[in-house]
Coordinates of all heavy atoms in Angstrom, one line a residue:
I53 N 19.3 141.4 72.4 CA 19.6 142.0 71.1 C 20.9 141.6 70.6 O 21.9 141.4 71.4 CB 19.5 143.6 71.2 CG1 19.6 144.3 69.9 CG2 20.6 144.1 72.2 CD1 18.4 144.2 69.1
Q56 N 24.9 143.4 64.6 CA 26.0 143.1 63.7 C 26.3 144.4 62.8 O 25.3 144.9 62.3 CB 25.6 142.0 62.8 CG 26.7 141.2 62.2 CD 26.1 139.9 61.5 OE1 24.9 139.8 61.3 NE2 27.0 139.1 61.1
Y59 N 30.9 148.0 57.9 CA 31.2 149.3 57.1 C 31.3 148.9 55.6 O 32.2 148.1 55.3 CB 32.4 150.0 57.6 CG 32.7 151.3 56.8 CD1 31.8 152.3 56.8 CD2 33.8 151.4 56.0 CE1 32.0 153.5 56.1 CE2 34.0 152.5 55.2 CZ 33.1 153.6 55.3 OH 33.4 154.7 54.5
E62 N 32.4 151.0 49.7 CA 32.0 151.5 48.3 C 30.7 152.4 48.4 O 30.6 153.3 47.6 CB 31.7 150.3 47.4 CG 30.6 149.3 47.8 CD 31.0 148.3 48.9 OE1 32.2 148.2 49.2 OE2 30.1 147.7 49.5
N64 N 30.0 154.0 51.3 CA 30.3 154.9 52.5 C 29.1 154.9 53.5 O 28.5 155.9 53.8 CB 30.6 156.3 52.0 CG 31.2 157.1 53.1 OD1 31.8 156.6 54.1 ND2 30.9 158.4 53.1
V65 N 28.7 153.7 53.9 CA 27.6 153.6 54.8 C 27.8 152.4 55.8 O 28.5 151.4 55.4 CB 26.3 153.3 54.0 CG1 26.3 152.0 53.3 CG2 25.0 153.4 54.9
V68 N 23.9 148.0 59.6 CA 23.6 147.5 61.0 C 22.5 146.6 61.0 O 21.4 147.0 60.6 CB 23.4 148.7 62.0 CG1 23.1 148.2 63.4 CG2 24.5 149.7 61.9
N69 N 22.7 145.3 61.4 CA 21.6 144.3 61.5 C 21.3 144.2 62.9 O 22.1 143.9 63.8 CB 22.1 143.0 60.9 CG 22.2 143.0 59.4 OD1 21.3 143.3 58.7 ND2 23.4 142.6 58.9
I74 N 14.7 145.6 71.2 CA 15.3 146.8 71.8 C 14.3 147.3 72.8 O 13.2 147.8 72.5 CB 15.6 147.9 70.8 CG1 16.5 147.4 69.7 CG2 16.3 149.1 71.5 CD1 16.8 148.4 68.6
A79 N 18.5 148.8 75.3 CA 18.7 150.0 74.6 C 20.1 150.6 74.7 O 20.7 151.1 73.8 CB 17.6 151.0 75.0
K88 N 29.8 153.9 69.0 CA 31.2 153.4 68.8 C 31.5 153.3 67.3 O 32.6 153.8 66.9 CB 31.3 152.0 69.4 CG 32.7 151.4 69.3 CD 32.8 150.0 69.9 CE 34.1 149.4 69.7 NZ 34.2 148.0 70.1
E92 N 34.2 155.7 65.0 CA 35.2 155.1 64.1 C 35.1 155.7 62.7 O 36.1 156.0 62.0 CB 35.0 153.6 64.0 CG 36.0 152.8 63.2 CD 35.7 151.3 63.2 OE1 35.3 150.8 64.3 OE2 35.9 150.7 62.2
L97 N 23.9 155.6 58.3 CA 23.6 154.3 58.9 C 22.4 153.7 58.1 O 21.4 154.4 57.8 CB 23.1 154.4 60.3 CG 24.1 154.8 61.4 CD1 23.5 154.8 62.8 CD2 25.3 153.8 61.4
I99 N 20.0 150.7 58.8 CA 19.6 149.8 59.9 C 18.6 148.8 59.4 O 17.5 149.1 59.0 CB 19.1 150.5 61.1 CG1 20.2 151.5 61.6 CG2 18.7 149.5 62.2 CD1 19.7 152.3 62.9
F102 N 14.9 143.6 59.7 CA 14.2 142.4 59.3 C 14.1 141.4 60.5 O 13.0 140.7 60.6 CB 14.9 141.7 58.1 CG 14.2 140.5 57.6 CD1 13.0 140.6 56.9 CD2 14.7 139.2 57.9 CE1 12.3 139.5 56.4 CE2 14.0 138.1 57.4 CZ 12.8 138.3 56.7
Y106 N 10.9 143.6 68.2 CA 10.2 144.5 69.1 C 11.1 145.7 69.4 O 12.4 145.6 69.5 CB 9.9 143.8 70.5 CG 9.3 144.6 71.5 CD1 7.9 144.9 71.5 CD2 10.1 145.2 72.5 CE1 7.3 145.7 72.5 CE2 9.5 146.0 73.5 CZ 8.1 146.3 73.5 OH 7.6 147.1 74.4
D108 N 10.7 149.4 71.9 CA 9.8 150.2 72.8 C 10.3 151.7 72.7 O 11.1 152.1 71.9 CB 9.8 149.7 74.2 CG 11.0 149.9 75.0 OD1 12.0 150.5 74.5 OD2 11.1 149.4 76.1
L112 N 13.3 153.6 70.6 CA 13.0 154.7 69.7 C 13.8 156.0 70.1 O 14.4 156.7 69.3 CB 11.5 155.1 69.6 CG 10.7 154.0 69.0 CD1 9.2 154.4 69.1 CD2 11.0 153.8 67.5
I116 N 16.5 158.1 67.9 CA 16.4 159.6 67.7 C 17.7 160.3 68.1 O 18.1 161.2 67.5 CB 15.2 160.1 68.5 CG1 13.9 159.6 67.9 CG2 15.2 161.6 68.6 CD1 12.6 159.8 68.7
G117 N 18.2 159.9 69.3 CA 19.5 160.5 69.7 C 20.6 160.3 68.7 O 21.4 161.2 68.4
K120 N 20.0 162.6 65.7 CA 20.4 164.0 66.0 C 21.9 164.1 65.9 O 22.3 165.1 65.3 CB 20.0 164.3 67.5 CG 18.5 164.6 67.6 CD 18.2 165.0 69.1 CE 16.7 165.2 69.3 NZ 16.4 165.5 70.6
L122 N 23.9 162.4 63.9 CA 24.2 162.3 62.5 C 23.8 163.6 61.8 O 24.5 164.0 60.8 CB 23.4 161.1 61.9 CG 24.0 159.7 62.2 CD1 23.1 158.6 61.8 CD2 25.4 159.5 61.5
I124 N 23.9 166.6 62.6 CA 24.9 167.6 62.8 C 25.9 167.5 61.7 O 26.4 168.5 61.2 CB 25.5 167.5 64.2 CG1 24.5 167.9 65.3 CG2 26.8 168.4 64.3 CD1 25.0 167.5 66.7
E125 N 26.2 166.3 61.3 CA 27.2 166.1 60.2 C 26.6 165.9 58.9 O 27.2 165.4 57.9 CB 28.0 164.8 60.6 CG 28.8 164.8 61.9 CD 29.9 165.8 61.9 OE1 30.5 166.1 60.8 OE2 30.2 166.4 63.0
P134 N 11.6 146.8 57.8 CA 11.0 146.6 59.1 C 9.8 145.7 59.1 O 9.1 145.6 58.1 CB 10.5 148.1 59.5 CG 10.2 148.7 58.1 CD 11.3 148.1 57.2
R135 N 9.6 144.9 60.1 CA 8.4 144.0 60.2 C 7.2 144.9 60.3 O 7.3 146.1 60.7 CB 8.5 143.1 61.4 CG 9.6 142.1 61.3 CD 9.7 141.3 62.5 NE 10.8 140.3 62.4 CZ 10.7 139.0 62.7 NH1 9.6 138.6 63.3 NH2 11.7 138.2 62.5
N137 N 4.9 145.2 62.6 CA 4.7 145.8 63.9 C 5.6 147.0 64.2 O 5.3 148.0 64.8 CB 4.8 144.8 65.0 CG 6.1 144.1 65.1 OD1 6.7 143.7 64.1 ND2 6.6 143.9 66.3
L152 N 14.2 157.8 57.2 CA 13.9 157.2 55.9 C 13.6 155.7 56.1 O 14.4 155.0 56.7 CB 15.2 157.4 55.0 CG 15.7 158.8 54.8 CD1 17.0 158.8 54.1 CD2 14.7 159.6 54.1

Side-chain angles (χ1 to χ4, degrees):
I53 185 77
Q56 204 173 12
Y59 178 66
E62 62 283 346
N64 192 32
V65 67
V68 179
N69 288 304
I74 305 176
K88 182 179 176 189
E92 187 179 320
L97 291 180
I99 301 179
F102 184 72
Y106 177 81
D108 69 3
L112 292 174
I116 291 166
K120 285 180 181 178
L122 285 167
I124 292 169
E125 302 292 330
R135 291 177 180 224
N137 62 318
L152 303 172

